[in-house]
Amino acid sequence: MRSIARTWTLVALVVVASGVSAIAAQNDPLEAWNDGAAKRAIIAFVRSTTTQGPSFVPPDERIATFDQDGTLWVEQPVYTQLVFCLDRVPVVVKAKPELAQQEPFKTVLSGNREAIAKLSTHDLETIAVATLSGVTTDEYALAVRGWLDSARDPRWKRPYTELTYLPMTELLNYLRANGYKTYIVTGGGQDFVRVYSQRVYGIPPEQVVGTAAGITFGYDKSGKPVLTKDPKLLLNDNDAGKVQGIHLMIGRQPFAAFGNSTGDRQMLEYTKAGRGARLAMLVLHDDSVREYAYGPARGLPDTKVGTFPQELADQAQRAGWVVISMKGDWKRVFAFEK
Amino acid sequence: MRSIARTWTLVALVVVASGVSAIAAQNDPLEAWNDGAAKRAIIAFVRSTTTQGPSFVPPDERIATFDQDGTLWVEQPVYTQLVFCLDRVPVVVKAKPELAQQEPFKTVLSGNREAIAKLSTHDLETIAVATLSGVTTDEYALAVRGWLDSARDPRWKRPYTELTYLPMTELLNYLRANGYKTYIVTGGGQDFVRVYSQRVYGIPPEQVVGTAAGITFGYDKSGKPVLTKDPKLLLNDNDAGKVQGIHLMIGRQPFAAFGNSTGDRQMLEYTKAGRGARLAMLVLHDDSVREYAYGPARGLPDTKVGTFPQELADQAQRAGWVVISMKGDWKRVFAFEK
């Protein structure tokens, strides 16, 4: 009886398996991508690293790293976390009323958009330090969660967490379905992104590498451990800092890396420097109708947020990095699009 | 035909499944543990967090952290990494011959064991910085690998990587078999432990949190990215530093934590402070015959390496941490024991 059951199991498994692969062939895992060089590069990379052959990568070494701002979700007109920081200024001023008369807090409280837009990088750093430190990690996560629930992007009138790019979500899923461990490696705050990474990208907190401040370990009145966010930066996860972050928190060279600006350059260089098949891609925002258009590569308007200069485009061409044209390569940009 | 196959599949699966659970019941996953309070605490914790009920923990939140030295492998008479550093002094002196006449290098080169044993903490730090930095991460990994292949522990005449505790290896496997993600959180060097963690403990590099220095990103002559180990400490993964490392690299509070000395105190406090069922355990080295005996808790000899003072034993009792007696709780200490 047992051996008969086993035979039938095998038969059944074969039947089920063929059914599954037939469904897979019908359902394109990268449906939101146009059939072009970018999509083909992704599929070729995954096939060559997951099937037996010279480029095969053992499952436990399959690491893919993704920048977030401008790569997985919208970063224009300003980084989402900066909006959070600006929105948080009143909370900070309430706790420290003397700040109300000090710059740059005074300008932020004025609500004068033009003046706020002109704040210097140093001003923005002052605001970031004031709004991101001095609270416990639990309080901070709660504040981020609450803000994400209520804040709406001014252009699409939607929660910021809906402004993710559908083709990149498909790419994350496709890589994971092929045994890749997907990481976010972001210049944004690690504690910020970890609040929503699982829900929004299917990426758990431990796979988010980001800019991180130190924390102070202490105890509350009941003797329970409390972690407080320090103002002091521990890791600036931009440029070479992304490679430092990858070495520190992952400890392996990625096989695939995705970015969209100069801040991702070293991460892509590091990824491509590894042996065997490696995939490096850059999203170019050249779609002013469906999203934004900025570079200044290829004659696109210049920007301070997510700069993609011609020099980066030239390096991409020399180094065999694939540039993803949002306009040409993406059938749909957002999941909420019809 | 399809539905008949499905029915048979179900039958077969049930048959196979009953077979599996019968085998599981015969094979005790914690065979090297005596049936005592420690073993029972582990099993009760795993059962309550993995079966439906008030203490159930969703699989993606199942995090367990392990100290290494003295918890997973032998740390006496000195930490293994320190032996590596001392053995590496000639290599460093060859590259910088002027060090041969400078202390503490001169003493190390003399081979005078008594004098080496008397080196101060500051001396040892000087040696650590000199032997662990100024090389690329690839060169360093290669050096560690080479050393591990040839070095032998003087007492057991075996590679250091065989001096792991069998009951703890079983515990790692048992937790993983129950959906727990196992991490090493060590005061030892992260780059050191990552070289062998997969092979020795089944723990991949990205699940090793340890003391870490910064790295400098640069390029070699061919323009390829190169990471060089800095002398500057980024994370001192001891005491409160363990909690900082957990927050930085895992971003979740562990449900179980295992240590053996004061350096693990904050990690255990942090773990137990979480809601629901949490397991905190400390290995007490009270077996001078099979391994070593040191405390000074419970009247055991004092030590500078892996101190377990009476105060820690008292805190364990108050806080509901379980003390593992090596002598009483472990049927076997090493896999190589008969």
Side-chain angles (χ1 to χ4, degrees):
Chain A
M1 143 88 198
R2 266 206 175 185
S3 72
I4 295 174
R6 273 196 196 133
T7 307
W8 274 111
T9 309
L10 278 177
V11 171
L13 284 176
V14 169
V15 170
V16 171
S18 354
V20 168
S21 72
I23 291 165
Q26 284 163 21
N27 287 351
D28 178 356
L30 300 175
E31 222 180 359
W33 293 73
N34 284 315
D35 185 26
K39 180 172 179 173
R40 282 196 296 266
I42 295 166
I43 294 170
F45 166 79
V46 168
R47 283 204 183 137
S48 74
T49 57
T50 59
T51 49
Q52 288 304 331
S55 299
F56 180 76
V57 178
D60 68 315
E61 291 178 25
R62 294 182 196 158
I63 303 278
T65 56
F66 289 79
D67 166 59
Q68 186 193 219
D69 294 306
T71 299
L72 293 179
W73 74 354
V74 174
E75 65 183 349
Q76 291 282 355
V78 286
Y79 301 118
T80 303
Q81 193 179 358
L82 182 57
V83 184
F84 166 77
C85 290
L86 292 170
D87 283 358
R88 200 170 150 75
V89 165
V91 178
V92 172
V93 170
K94 205 178 167 187
K96 289 187 188 172
E98 66 276 18
L99 294 179
Q101 297 310 315
Q102 289 172 26
E103 288 298 353
F105 305 99
K106 201 175 163 181
T107 296
V108 175
L109 290 173
S110 75
N112 180 340
R113 286 187 174 222
E114 217 169 300
I116 294 170
K118 280 185 190 151
L119 290 173
S120 69
T121 305
H122 179 259
D123 286 337
L124 297 177
E125 278 169 10
T126 306
I127 291 164
V129 167
T131 53
L132 303 177
S133 69
V135 289
T136 70
T137 51
D138 286 349
E139 287 165 352
Y140 179 72
L142 215 65
V144 174
R145 210 166 279 129
W147 181 81
L148 287 173
D149 284 347
S150 62
R152 294 293 177 271
D153 170 82
R155 177 166 164 188
W156 287 279
K157 323 281 182 216
R158 288 177 178 275
Y160 287 91
T161 47
E162 288 185 20
L163 303 188
T164 53
Y165 306 130
L166 178 62
M168 297 307 283
T169 308
E170 287 181 353
L171 176 54
L172 284 167
N173 289 332
Y174 177 57
L175 286 170
R176 284 197 291 259
N178 283 282
Y180 274 87
K181 213 163 170 179
T182 53
Y183 281 82
I184 289 174
V185 178
T186 175
Q190 188 166 276
D191 287 345
F192 185 81
V193 179
R194 279 176 171 172
V195 171
Y196 57 84
S197 61
Q198 179 71 59
R199 173 170 61 89
V200 174
Y201 302 115
I203 294 178
E206 61 270 27
Q207 285 164 226
V208 174
V209 176
T211 295
I215 57 157
T216 298
F217 179 90
Y219 301 93
D220 68 12
K221 282 171 198 163
S222 72
K224 216 174 135 175
V226 166
L227 313 189
T228 309
K229 285 170 72 66
D230 288 346
K232 204 188 151 200
L233 204 61
L234 192 69
L235 174 70
N236 180 356
D237 200 51
N238 279 301
D239 308 304
K242 292 211 174 196
V243 176
Q244 291 160 344
I246 288 169
H247 180 73
L248 181 69
M249 305 203 208
I250 309 177
R252 306 188 197 243
Q253 214 160 346
F255 275 82
F258 307 87
N260 77 300
S261 79
T262 48
D264 303 310
R265 192 165 65 85
Q266 288 88 342
M267 175 169 75
L268 269 60
E269 288 173 343
Y270 182 54
T271 301
K272 281 295 261 191
R275 276 182 226 163
R278 307 269 167 165
L279 181 64
M281 300 185 95
L282 286 169
V283 175
L284 180 70
H285 296 257
D286 56 0
D287 194 330
S288 62
V289 176
R290 295 187 299 175
E291 203 238 11
Y292 292 98
Y294 52 101
R298 301 190 190 170
L300 293 164
D302 202 355
T303 179
K304 276 185 190 172
V305 178
T307 312
F308 190 136
Q310 187 57 42
E311 185 204 340
L312 187 65
D314 295 343
Q315 181 173 3
Q317 186 149 26
R318 280 196 311 275
W321 304 350
V322 181
V323 174
I324 299 164
S325 157
M326 186 174 276
K327 197 171 180 177
D329 285 313
W330 289 357
K331 221 177 268 177
R332 284 168 71 191
V333 174
F334 301 110
F336 57 75
E337 274 174 26
K338 291 279 153 63
Chain B
M1 141 90 198
R2 266 204 172 185
S3 70
I4 294 172
R6 273 195 196 131
T7 308
W8 275 110
T9 308
L10 279 176
V11 171
L13 284 176
V14 169
V15 170
V16 171
S18 351
V20 168
S21 71
I23 292 166
Q26 284 163 21
N27 288 350
D28 178 357
L30 300 175
E31 223 179 359
W33 294 72
N34 285 315
D35 186 26
K39 180 172 179 171
R40 283 197 294 268
I42 294 166
I43 293 170
F45 166 79
V46 168
R47 283 206 182 135
S48 74
T49 57
T50 59
T51 48
Q52 288 305 330
S55 298
F56 179 77
V57 178
D60 68 316
E61 291 177 25
R62 293 180 197 161
I63 303 278
T65 56
F66 289 80
D67 167 58
Q68 186 193 219
D69 294 305
T71 299
L72 293 179
W73 76 352
V74 175
E75 64 184 350
Q76 291 283 355
V78 285
Y79 301 118
T80 303
Q81 193 178 0
L82 183 56
V83 184
F84 167 76
C85 291
L86 293 171
D87 283 357
R88 199 171 152 72
V89 165
V91 178
V92 171
V93 170
K94 206 178 165 187
K96 289 187 188 172
E98 67 274 19
L99 294 180
Q101 297 310 317
Q102 289 172 28
E103 288 299 352
F105 305 98
K106 201 176 163 179
T107 297
V108 176
L109 291 173
S110 75
N112 180 339
R113 285 185 176 227
E114 217 169 297
I116 294 170
K118 279 184 189 154
L119 290 174
S120 69
T121 304
H122 179 259
D123 287 337
L124 297 177
E125 278 169 10
T126 305
I127 291 164
V129 167
T131 53
L132 303 177
S133 69
V135 289
T136 70
T137 51
D138 286 349
E139 287 165 352
Y140 179 72
L142 216 65
V144 174
R145 208 165 281 130
W147 181 80
L148 288 173
D149 283 347
S150 62
R152 295 293 177 271
D153 172 83
R155 176 166 165 189
W156 288 278
K157 323 281 183 215
R158 289 178 176 274
Y160 288 91
T161 47
E162 288 184 20
L163 304 188
T164 53
Y165 306 129
L166 179 63
M168 296 307 280
T169 308
E170 288 181 353
L171 177 53
L172 284 168
N173 289 333
Y174 177 57
L175 286 169
R176 284 197 290 259
N178 283 282
Y180 275 88
K181 212 165 171 177
T182 52
Y183 282 81
I184 288 174
V185 178
T186 174
Q190 188 165 276
D191 287 345
F192 185 80
V193 180
R194 280 176 172 173
V195 170
Y196 56 85
S197 61
Q198 178 71 58
R199 174 169 61 89
V200 174
Y201 302 116
I203 293 178
E206 62 268 28
Q207 283 162 231
V208 174
V209 176
T211 294
I215 57 155
T216 298
F217 179 89
Y219 301 94
D220 68 11
K221 283 172 197 162
S222 71
K224 218 173 133 176
V226 166
L227 314 189
T228 308
K229 286 171 70 69
D230 288 346
K232 206 190 149 197
L233 205 62
L234 193 69
L235 174 70
N236 181 354
D237 200 50
N238 279 300
D239 309 305
K242 292 211 174 196
V243 177
Q244 290 160 344
I246 289 169
H247 180 73
L248 182 69
M249 305 204 209
I250 310 178
R252 308 187 196 243
Q253 214 159 347
F255 274 83
F258 306 87
N260 77 300
S261 79
T262 48
D264 303 310
R265 190 165 65 85
Q266 288 88 342
M267 175 168 76
L268 269 59
E269 288 173 343
Y270 182 54
T271 301
K272 281 294 262 190
R275 277 181 225 163
R278 307 268 168 165
L279 181 64
M281 300 186 95
L282 286 169
V283 175
L284 181 70
H285 296 257
D286 56 0
D287 193 330
S288 62
V289 177
R290 296 188 299 175
E291 203 239 11
Y292 293 97
Y294 53 101
R298 301 191 189 168
L300 293 164
D302 202 356
T303 178
K304 276 183 188 172
V305 177
T307 313
F308 190 135
Q310 188 55 43
E311 185 205 340
L312 187 65
D314 294 342
Q315 181 173 3
Q317 186 148 27
R318 281 196 311 274
W321 306 349
V322 181
V323 174
I324 299 164
S325 157
M326 187 174 276
K327 197 172 181 176
D329 285 314
W330 290 358
K331 219 175 270 177
R332 285 169 70 193
V333 175
F334 301 110
F336 57 77
E337 274 173 25
K338 293 276 153 64

